[in-house]
Each structure stands twice: as C-alpha cells, then as structure tokens.
Amino acid sequence: MAGGAAEQRRLAAVVEGWLGRPVLVVGDAMLDEWRFAESDRLCREAPAPVLTLRRRISAAGGAANTAVNVAALGGRAVLVAPVGADVAGDELHDCLDRAGVWDRTVNQPARPTPVKRRMLAGNQILLREDSGDADDVLDGDGVARLLTALDCATEELRAAGGEAPTLVVCDYGLGALPAPVRAWLVTHRERYATVALDAHDLADWRGLAPTVVTPSFAEATRLLARAAGARPAPGAGLHLDHPDGDPADGPSELTVGVSPGGVAPHHAGHRPGPTNPTGEPTAGEGRVAMTGNGLTVTGTGVTVNATAGEGVDRAVLAESRLAELRAHTGADVVAVTLDTDGAVVGGADGEPRRSHSTPVPASHAVGAGDAYLAAMTLALAADAPLPTAAQLAQLAATITVSDTGTCVCRREDLLVALDAPVDGAGHRALVGTDELAAIVEEHRRAGRAIVFTNGCFDVLHRGHVRYLEQARALGDLLVVAVNSDGSVRRLKGPDRPVNPVEDRIALLSALACVDHVVVFEEDSPAELIETVRPDVYVKGGDYPPEMVPEAPLVRSLGGQVRTLGYVPDRSTSAIIDRIRAHGQEPQEDTSLTPEPS
C-alpha cells in the first residue's frame, strides 16, 4: 500500500533508537519448564496415557522473561527479583546469563523459586504443575535486601547509561512485591523516566503514576468493578480496597459471552437461564454484569449476558472504558490486551487504537504478553508516538508465537518483520573496516559500550558460543574479528582452516550475541583495535589479562582487558583430532553390532 515502505522504515528507526536503553525490571520471576513426551498406550491403573519423556526445556518466565525480551530487543536489561536457592533458581540464573540480562536477583534460601511445569504430548499441553504462591512471603531481611538491590541497580543503570533508567514492574501476585517494596517504588518514582506496570491487581499500584499499564481484559474489568463500588471524597484520590474473598490472582483472560460456568444474571429484556461456560474462572471470583447495550459494567467481576454478548466484543467494551481506566490507574497510556484479539490502546488524546493478532494454539502464546510489554516500554522510553509504540508492541507479540515454548522476540526478528534489511537498518553482520569505524563511532556517541574480540573460529563449537555470549554481556555491541584463511594458515599450519572464511562468517553472523563480524588479513588484530578503540577487549583463556599481547595497546586507548575461561574439554583442535582419529580407525564388520548411542 502507498507509504507502506516509508512507514516500515519509520518503525525500524524506532527499533534502532532504543538500542542500549537502560531498563530495570522488578517483580515475580519464575522458571518455565517444558517437558515434551510421547505416548502410544494407556496405563493399566487408569484411563490415562503413559508418557515417555523425550526433551526438556527451561526458560525464564514472568518478570524474568520480560527482562529477557528487553535484552533480546536491544535494551540493557537488569532484573531485580527474589529467587530461591534451589535447582530452579540455578536454572533461572543460567537463562538470564545466556540472554545477556544483568542478574541482580536476591537469593532467598527459605523461599522456593516459582516454577510452571508443562507436560506436552504432540505439542498439546496435557497438564501444568505450578509451585510458588503468595503465601511464600519475604521476611524482613529479604525485603531489606530487595530494596538495597533496587537502589543499587537503579544507580548502576544511571551511571552506565548517563540517563534516568526505565522501570518495568511485573506483579503477578506471587509475593515478590510486598507493601514495603511497592511503597519504595512509589516514593522513588521520580528516579525513573518511564514506568511500565503489568499487574494482576492494579488496585495495589494506584500511587505509582505509571507511564503505561498493560492489563488483560479480566484485570481491567476487575478494576472497573471495584471502582464502581468505591465512594471517594470530593477531590480525594481513588483508593480501592480488596473486597472480602477477592482472589490475589484472577483469571488471565475472559471471553465476552456469558458468565463462566454459571447462569446468566437477570436484566431487563433477558430471561435467566443456563449458559455455557467461557473464559478462565477462578474460585470465588465475582462477576460483572454487562447490560443490554453492551457497554455498562457493574458488580465485582465480569459477565456479559447472552443477549448482548453476540453483538459485542471485548474490544468495544475496552474502548468504551479507556478514559476510566486511565483515571483509576493514573497512567498516561492504557493498553488492554485481548490475547488472540490483539489489544486496545488509549492515551491522553482520548483516541482508541486497535491492533490485531493471529490466533494460535495456546502453547505457542506463553509469554507473548512479556514481548508486548517489553516492546511497548522500549518504544515509549525512546519517545516514540503512541500509535508507533502500539504497532511495534503488537508486532513483537505476534512474531513470537510461531512455535511451542516461552515467547522471546529478538531485535533482528522485529527488523526482518518490518522488511528492513539488516544492512539497511545499520545492523548488517559482515562489515568492512571503514564501515565498522563509522558504525562504532555512532554507537559511541550514543554512550554505548563496545566489546571487541578476535579469533579463527574454525570449527564453531559450544565453547565458542558460551564465550561469545559472555563477551556480549559485557557491553552493548559485540564486534568479532575473524582471521582470514591466509592468516589462519600462518598461525595454525597448512592444513587449517578446516572451514573457509565465508563459512566461518556465516556461522558467527547467525549467533544472536554477535552484532558485527570483520575479517582481517594480518596475524595480529592491532590495527583493528586502533580503529575500534574498544571499551572492553576480550580474549579466551585461563591466564590473567596482563599476559594478553594486545593488553598494552587496549589500555593505551582507554579500554579494559578481560579474559574468559573456555568450556572444559571443548576446543577446535580437540574436535579436529577426534575426527581424524576416528577416520584412521580400522573399519570393522558392524552388521551384527548395535551402534553406540
């Protein structure tokens, strides 16, 4: 369509503009565990399938996944959250480390790490086991250490970025944000330029004055229901008390239609009668009745009568109440998320904006809201207009739902979805020396830290990947200099490299942690170091930085030198030796011998 290319370039420019944006994420961090199984028979004890576990995946969840998405989208993410001293906590730390999130979590030995374990067969979720709830409260010492971590992380981000950081609050009712922590965040609101809030219970956060809130439809309607029963004094701020029996963690989403699992309430023109259940009811959750015009919310929950429900969708209801939601939350922007129906967004101009998404299986959409929140926050922090922020947030959520697992949107994927070629977006992996100098200078003017490393990377293996991920976590931009084929032959011998330089470049460029690759012909990267002037120069090895030959040059240019240990028993030479040894072994008749696993 006309102007489509220009619009996509404008959106891509915003994605480039938020690169390195400092973001502090605080809240309920959890571990998502996915267990993929196969089943071909029922057990004898009950009509239940017998499952054989084939694969297990762990991923960051909740606030931790929001931080992972911020980092994957190009922001500088720091996570502050209580994490248990247990196996799940160790796995969560690994997830954060791999994603390049600054891990400032607080160890809580007496409080287990919340976990959501999903068992699947044929990509169908058969059951989910949750551990961790609001009863696992933080003790006084835990609260004090969490507040200290918040204060230190805020100052750390300000010092690193030279500007007030962005704050993202993820409150999912699991006890990571008790009253003293909420009070601290409200009191110190002025330390953050942009504040985003995603909370199951928005009533707890009235004093925060967030820039943006992202409630689900159920969370928004529950807030409106409480507000309808509140009687604030003239001129006083709205205070919403929790009704007796109100659940801490309500349904994640409800579908407009009829009351979940019950009988539709009596309204004028509607005769009570049995209805079919819809949505995700929670025990004890009250209901809101929507009248015949489809727009009036009353009561203490959400229900749409059967007559009105057919002609009214959730987007219409959300659009009609955006102004009230802004008033009740104190937010500049309200984005009501509607899962497969997209979202409705409203700001100070009173103009509702609707975005749409593509329906997918529920197992594909876990964490899509975290991607939405991360992109919306980064866009608003980069001063993008609200329509642009809403577009990018919906796009980030939509492109993550292609497969089963916890959703993470990468910056590169977002740019590709905008039809922005990596070179056109200023992020082409392979660059020449002159082009690299200009790219580095642009990032340096924006206050971003440049990390530089070099090597042959002949046979890319796990040790390389781990090393490069750790290197990327030391700054905002990772430049990898690769020895040319001639340079490798001079350093390693006439039978190296095993893989030509174009193959080595292709593999390095495919790694999410690598921003740019440059080839050098010399035996030493000294000239490139003088060109790049890295803030951090990284080498692999277990020796001190003083033994790195390039250390004096790097320090003379104002940079620091770091050495990172390799993964044990992983090296290119060892892999090549094993391959050669295997090729020299005498061939045996193995027709009757089982192959080794």
Side-chain angles (χ1 to χ4, degrees):
M1 68 181 176
E7 172 70 4
Q8 289 184 324
R9 285 195 297 270
R10 187 175 63 82
L11 293 173
V14 174
V15 177
E16 291 296 336
W18 72 43
L19 187 65
R21 185 74 52 174
V23 180
L24 170 61
V25 181
V26 58
D28 291 300
M30 62 190 74
L31 183 73
D32 277 353
E33 183 179 298
W34 299 81
R35 292 172 174 260
F36 297 88
E38 294 178 356
S39 177
D40 56 8
R41 59 193 174 93
L42 296 178
C43 71
R44 297 179 179 178
E45 296 84 1
V50 176
L51 302 177
T52 302
L53 184 64
R54 297 301 185 192
R55 185 163 56 104
R56 176 183 174 276
I57 297 176
S58 293
N65 189 47
T66 298
V68 167
N69 272 277
V70 168
L73 286 167
R76 178 181 295 174
V78 175
L79 176 65
V80 173
V83 173
D86 49 22
V87 173
D90 292 341
E91 291 192 50
L92 183 55
H93 291 307
D94 288 341
C95 292
L96 296 173
D97 187 33
R98 288 195 300 269
V101 174
W102 293 9
D103 186 351
R104 301 297 181 266
T105 55
V106 177
N107 192 300
Q108 300 286 342
R111 186 177 185 272
T113 303
V115 181
K116 291 185 177 180
R117 298 181 179 89
R118 298 170 178 85
M119 178 67 80
L120 302 89
N123 280 342
Q124 171 65 47
I125 296 178
L126 301 181
L127 60 89
R128 193 182 87 185
E129 175 194 4
D130 290 4
S131 61
D133 54 47
D135 293 333
D136 297 326
V137 296
L138 299 176
D139 58 22
D141 178 65
V143 169
R145 290 191 292 120
L146 194 63
L147 293 178
T148 299
L150 275 172
D151 186 51
C152 293
T154 301
E155 289 307 308
E156 183 181 22
L157 277 176
R158 179 184 289 274
E163 59 183 328
T166 293
L167 173 69
V168 180
V169 179
C170 301
D171 182 7
Y172 306 129
L174 296 178
L177 296 165
V181 178
R182 298 198 301 270
W184 188 95
L185 291 169
V186 170
T187 301
H188 294 270
R189 167 65 177 85
E190 74 283 352
R191 297 173 69 178
Y192 307 99
T194 301
V195 174
L197 171 64
D198 184 28
H200 281 348
D201 196 340
L202 291 166
D204 283 338
W205 294 95
R206 179 65 180 89
L208 185 62
T211 308
V212 58
V213 294
T214 59
S216 69
F217 180 72
E219 292 159 357
T221 51
R222 186 162 57 247
L223 180 69
L224 289 172
R226 291 179 183 169
R231 298 286 189 271
L238 177 66
H239 176 71
L240 302 177
D241 291 322
H242 289 229
D244 292 339
D246 189 51
D249 183 8
S252 62
E253 195 55 89
L254 292 175
T255 301
V256 168
V258 293
S259 172
V263 176
H266 178 73
H267 297 294
H270 173 66
R271 185 180 65 199
T275 59
N276 294 324
T278 62
E280 289 186 25
T282 297
E285 178 73 10
R287 306 295 174 216
V288 171
M290 189 164 90
T291 60
N293 64 11
L295 299 178
T296 303
V297 177
T298 59
T300 57
V302 59
T303 296
V304 180
N305 69 49
T307 302
E310 291 183 6
V312 177
D313 64 21
R314 294 176 298 171
V316 174
L317 176 58
E319 286 180 6
S320 70
R321 313 309 292 271
L322 285 174
E324 293 173 65
L325 289 168
R326 289 184 64 247
H328 296 330
T329 60
D332 298 329
V333 175
V334 172
V336 181
T337 56
L338 306 170
D339 55 80
T340 57
D341 291 328
V344 173
V345 182
D349 60 4
E351 182 69 26
R353 296 163 178 87
R354 178 73 193 278
S355 61
H356 299 269
S357 103
T358 303
V360 296
S363 62
H364 289 197
V366 175
D370 302 328
Y372 184 98
L373 175 63
M376 171 70 79
T377 302
L378 286 167
L380 292 176
D383 297 322
L386 181 55
T388 299
Q391 281 180 274
L392 288 170
Q394 188 63 65
L395 181 59
T398 301
I399 65 179
T400 64
V401 296
S402 60
D403 202 357
T404 298
T406 304
C407 296
V408 175
C409 182
R410 297 167 63 248
R411 177 170 170 270
E412 293 78 6
D413 296 335
L414 195 54
L415 290 172
V416 168
L418 292 169
D419 288 332
V422 246
D423 53 345
H427 193 68
R428 179 163 53 91
L430 179 61
V431 295
T433 303
D434 293 339
E435 186 180 2
L436 177 62
I439 291 171
V440 166
E441 186 57 35
E442 180 181 340
H443 284 281
R444 182 167 283 115
R445 283 196 301 268
R448 297 167 189 136
I450 313 300
V451 182
F452 181 93
T453 189
N454 64 277
C456 299
F457 301 100
D458 191 1
V459 178
L460 199 64
H461 53 74
R462 176 187 170 194
H464 287 138
V465 174
R466 179 65 170 164
Y467 164 78
L468 292 171
E469 287 175 341
Q470 289 178 321
R472 178 61 174 81
L474 297 175
D476 303 305
L477 188 80
L478 176 60
V479 177
V480 179
V482 182
N483 295 76
S484 69
D485 291 348
S487 178
V488 174
R489 278 191 291 272
R490 290 192 298 271
L491 293 172
K492 302 290 185 179
D495 58 344
R496 299 280 297 275
V498 173
N499 292 305
V501 70
E502 58 267 25
D503 290 354
R504 293 183 279 134
I505 290 169
L507 290 173
L508 287 168
S509 300
L511 297 178
C513 56
V514 175
D515 294 290
H516 294 293
V517 180
V518 61
V519 178
F520 66 102
E521 296 287 344
E522 301 80 11
D523 295 344
S524 166
E527 289 188 19
L528 272 176
I529 291 174
E530 291 180 350
T531 298
V532 175
R533 293 182 295 113
D535 298 283
V536 184
Y537 177 65
V538 181
K539 288 293 288 183
D542 297 322
Y543 43 82
E546 291 72 22
M547 295 183 63
V548 175
E550 296 83 3
L553 173 60
V554 173
R555 294 197 177 100
S556 70
L557 296 171
Q560 58 175 301
V561 179
R562 295 283 299 272
T563 56
L564 302 176
Y566 290 119
V567 175
D569 301 320
R570 299 291 192 279
S571 75
T572 299
S573 298
I575 291 173
I576 293 174
D577 289 341
R578 287 200 299 271
I579 293 172
R580 287 173 174 165
H582 181 74
Q584 294 171 358
E585 290 176 359
Q587 299 299 312
E588 298 178 358
D589 181 7
T590 58
S591 58
L592 300 178
T593 304
E595 293 185 1
S597 58

